[in-house]
Structure formats: structure tokens, C-alpha cells
Amino acid sequence: MATGSKIRLSYHRRLFLLLIAFSWTLMGCFILFQYGREKLFKAESLNGQLQLFNQRLLEALRNGADPADFIAGHGSRYPELRVTLIGLDGNVVYDNSLDSLPSSNHLDREEVVEAMNRGTGYTIRRHSESTHRYYFYSAMKGRSHIIRTAVPYTVTLRDVLSADSAFLWFMLGITLLMSIAGFFATRRLGHNIIRLNEFAERAERGERIDDLPPFPHDELGEISNHIIRLYARLQKTTADRDREHALALHEEQEKIRIKKQLTNNINHELKTPVAVIQGYLETLLARPDLEESKRTDFLAKSMEQIERLRRLLSDVATITRMDEASQLIRKEPVVLNDLIQEAVADMELRPESQRLRVHIDIPRRIELVGNPSLLGSIFRNLTDNAVAYSGGRDLYIGLVDDSPESCTLLFADNGIGVEEEHLPHLFERFYRVDKGRSRKLGGTGLGLAIVKNAVMIHGGTIEARNRAMGGLEFVFTLRKRS
């Protein structure tokens, strides 16, 4: 049947093929199951006969009988029966089919392993290294020996162990008859489905349908698919509209919340440096006769607080720019290796007490489209964070994964790490693990928040975790194309 420009099988043929596939699969599984059960039953039956011989031989050995004499008197039922006595250490002590005993240890043979664990065991078909023939093996564990009997795996034995083929042919015949009956049943149903499909297509095109003869059945098959398709299309349109509306509303509410939170945090962060500067200046104005060293010290400390205010305002401006105008941030081709080298060069300019050894493992040139300033801030802020808080001596920057779409990098130190309870909050604005130490070192509490926002603007994600050998590591992904 043709629908538009696509040609597909009719409903009748598809239903018939489905019925055939189901019935033949079901019958095949049943036949395989029954075939396996029959073979297993026959194998266990033969094993039971050999185990009975093994048990009698074990009893005879306990009574002091010679194994060769016992086999001569009881082994006529099994032509070419091979009997092997194996010590509990795995070494062969007797074999009626060999002139010289094998030196190999037999504890690794399947039937011996099973006998050692369960008392008895068998293997349907395995090649013998001693006689170079295939045998059916049956083993039984005694107090001091393992008796293993074996029957050559010949054509006759294979036929004995195989399943009854008459059963298989009977089941195949039944399946064939079911397939023929299914063909005629689905052909009649398929004819009505074709008519219903033509009706549904004309209704979907808006053509007149009042001249059609009445249908013998209600909606079936393809007409249901058309109705569902129309309804699903309308439902999808409505859902997309509602989802976009909810997403826009959520984003707007989130921006308002972040603005309020940022404003409150900024007010809180400004209070301390402003109060300190005010205190120093009031002291200088109130005591003009203050000695020169004290005046210089007060002015130097005021400058430290002013520098702290400058860094805070700069970080706030960066955060605000990323929040308010992330779509307007200009992006251009950037070589990530160059930005990493800039961070390494900045490290060399630090005082020796703040200088860490940087180890870079990026074997290839990494290029992407992004904002150089924001990408540089990722490595700059991660470096500042490691210098200020890690307590380590080394930094490690490595390439974890690289594909045409994105790259994943690792930034780690060998310091003290952080407690697990702090890890989920490290990227929150103004969050500090040690508030007193952070303020003393001049941190604004926005560095890692800037890192996370910069990574997100470049279509990536970032995760912080403690290293097994000590220290903290950041793993982040950057998309190579916007």
C-alpha cells in the first residue's frame, strides 16, 4: 500500500508476519527446551548406570578386591569401558586402558571437580590426552580414591544421547498448520483494516466522506493511529507552550531571587571593610599627634581593605554581567593551551611563599569558540583558590577527554582537601569553608561561583571532589562550539 511517497506492507501482511514470528519463536523455544531436557535425561540415565558401577567398585576396593579382577567380572556390559582410580591428590594410581600411568594431575577435570565438590560428577564429551579419544566420563568420590569410568563417545553413543527426532518433526508440522490458519484469518481482518485506513486518510485530508458505504466494524488499526496522531500533535503543541511559559517564569523568579540574595550578601560583605576603614580614618583624624609608624600602619591596613573592596566590586560586576547578559557575551576562537600558559606565567610572578609547582598534561592543542576573558577566569580563580586554601605545593592540569564536540579537563592540587559536607556548596556565592581564614586572606567568596558560571556559559558542567591521595580536584567540561 502507498501512503504519500512511502511504500509499506499492508496491515494484513504485517499482522501475519507478527503472528508467524511469535508462533515460531514460541515453538522454537519450546522445542529447544524439550530437546535439551531429553538430552539431559538420557545423559543422566547413562551417568546413573556408570555411577552404580562406580559404587560397586568402591565397595569392592574397601573389601580388598583387585580392581582388574572386579572389572573383568563386571565390565562386560560396557564394551571398551575405561576405569581410572585417582587419588585425592589428583594423581592417577590405576587405569585399565593404559600401559603407563599419566603424570598429569587430574584435579582440574570437570567431572573430578564436580565429584570433589558434590560426591559425583560427569562430563558428556571430552578429549582424552592419554588415549586421544573422546569419552563420556562419570566420577564418584570415595574415602581414599575417586573412581572414574568412561565410555568412548562413538557414533552409537551420540545417537543414544540425542533427542527423538520424531517429536521435533511433529512440532514443526503443528507450527506450519498454525501458520496457514493464521494467514487466512489475518487476510480477512486486513481487508477491513485497509478500508478503514482509506477512510481515515480521506478524513485527515478533509475530503467528503458521506458517499462511502457503511463499514462492517468500528474504528480499528490505522484509523486509531491517525486519531492518536492528531491528538498527540495538539497535545505536544500545548505541552510545549506550557513548558516554555513555566520555564520562562521560573527563570525570571530565579533571577529575582539571585538578585535579592546577591544584594544582601554584598551589603554584608561591604560592612566589614567599610567599618575597618572608617575606624582607621577616625583614629587618624582624632589623633593628629599619632606617631608616624602607627599612621603608616593604619594607612596600609586601610589600603588592604580598599583593595578587598575593589576585588569584591570587580567580582560582583563579573557575576552580574554573566547573569544579565550571558547571551551578549562575545565569543571567538580560543586556544585553551595559551590561557593555561598565562595562568602558569602568573604563578611565576607570585611571591615565593605563594608559588606552587604546576604540572600540565595536555598532549594536544585544544581549540574552541568562547570568551577569552571568562575562560581565563576559570583557571585564574581555580589557581587563586588553590594558592589560598589548599595548603599544597603542586597543581595538576590535565586533559581527561577530547572529542570534536567538547573537552573535559582536570584541575587538582595535593593539599588538604575539604570535608565532604562542604563539597555541594563550594560553587555557591559567598560560601566559605573557613570564613575567618577566607576574609583574612582577602577572598571575596565569589571565585568559584565565577568559575561555575563561566563553565555553564560555555555549555559545560563542573564537579568538585576530594582526591584519593589528598587534595581537591575540579573536573569540568567545555563545549567547543556554541
Side-chain angles (χ1 to χ4, degrees), residues 123-369:
T123 301
I124 294 179
R125 184 175 185 267
R126 197 185 74 244
H127 183 262
S128 172
E129 298 177 359
S130 303
T131 64
H132 304 290
R133 299 180 68 183
Y134 287 91
Y135 288 91
F136 179 101
Y137 290 98
S138 179
M140 174 179 287
K141 179 185 177 184
R143 295 179 182 177
S144 59
H145 293 88
I146 297 173
I147 301 296
R148 187 185 69 179
T149 51
V151 178
Y153 197 91
T154 60
V155 174
T156 303
L157 180 60
R158 184 179 61 191
D159 293 338
V160 170
L161 294 179
S162 63
D164 187 6
S165 60
F167 168 79
L168 301 181
W169 287 111
F170 173 78
M171 296 306 299
L172 289 174
I174 292 295
T175 307
L176 182 60
L177 291 176
M178 291 174 57
S179 302
I180 296 173
F183 172 80
F184 288 104
T186 55
R187 185 176 65 173
R188 183 174 183 275
L189 179 62
H191 175 70
N192 292 328
I193 294 298
I194 290 174
R195 293 187 60 197
L196 289 172
N197 185 44
E198 293 173 351
F199 162 80
E201 289 177 344
R202 293 185 61 180
E204 192 173 28
R205 292 193 298 265
E207 298 179 3
R208 292 179 60 84
I209 56 176
D210 53 357
D211 58 340
L212 294 175
F215 291 97
H217 300 287
D218 294 330
E219 294 95 2
L220 294 171
E222 287 291 333
I223 191 171
S224 300
N225 292 333
H226 285 289
I227 293 174
I228 292 173
R229 195 154 44 241
L230 290 171
Y231 178 76
R233 190 178 304 165
L234 176 62
Q235 192 177 44
K236 183 177 184 301
T237 302
T238 304
D240 290 343
R241 182 200 63 193
D242 294 340
R243 184 168 56 252
E244 291 175 359
H245 177 72
L247 182 61
L249 180 62
H250 174 74
E251 289 178 351
E252 188 63 28
Q253 292 175 343
E254 187 66 13
K255 286 182 179 180
I256 294 174
R257 184 190 68 80
I258 291 175
K259 285 181 180 178
K260 290 181 178 179
Q261 184 184 46
L262 185 61
T263 301
N264 293 335
N265 289 335
I266 291 173
N267 290 336
H268 177 75
E269 293 294 325
L270 288 174
K271 286 180 181 180
T272 300
V274 169
V276 171
I277 295 172
Q278 181 181 7
Y280 286 136
L281 293 179
E282 286 177 351
T283 301
L284 291 173
L285 292 174
R287 297 181 58 186
D289 58 340
L290 194 66
E291 59 187 59
E292 190 63 22
S293 61
K294 285 288 186 180
R295 292 173 64 86
T296 302
D297 183 54
F298 282 6
L299 290 173
K301 291 181 179 179
S302 297
M303 283 298 299
E304 291 177 1
Q305 297 301 320
I306 292 173
E307 176 62 20
R308 178 181 172 187
L309 285 174
R310 186 196 64 78
R311 287 197 300 268
L312 177 61
L313 294 175
S314 175
D315 287 348
V316 169
T318 302
I319 286 285
T320 303
R321 181 164 67 105
M322 289 190 287
D323 285 344
E324 296 294 335
S326 60
Q327 300 301 322
L328 302 178
I329 292 176
R330 184 176 58 85
K331 295 182 179 180
E332 62 188 54
V334 178
V335 179
L336 210 59
N337 308 68
D338 296 341
L339 298 179
I340 296 173
Q341 290 300 328
E342 290 178 10
V344 174
D346 291 341
M347 178 66 72
E348 297 298 326
L349 299 177
R350 293 174 181 267
E352 187 172 352
S353 60
Q354 300 180 11
R355 198 178 305 161
L356 303 182
R357 295 184 294 265
V358 182
H359 308 273
I360 300 176
D361 183 18
I362 302 181
R364 62 177 67 92
R365 179 184 175 94
I366 307 297
E367 297 183 10
L368 54 83
V369 176

Side-chain angles (χ1 to χ4, degrees), residues 415-432:
I416 59 175
V418 300
E419 296 180 3
E420 291 293 328
E421 63 187 63
H422 296 295
L423 289 177
H425 308 287
L426 287 181
F427 299 104
E428 295 178 5
R429 298 173 183 184
F430 296 105
Y431 184 84
R432 293 182 174 92

Side-chain angles (χ1 to χ4, degrees), residues 56-70:
R56 291 176 177 174
L57 178 55
L58 281 174
E59 292 175 357
L61 291 178
R62 283 196 293 268
N63 294 329
D66 182 79
D69 295 338
F70 181 87

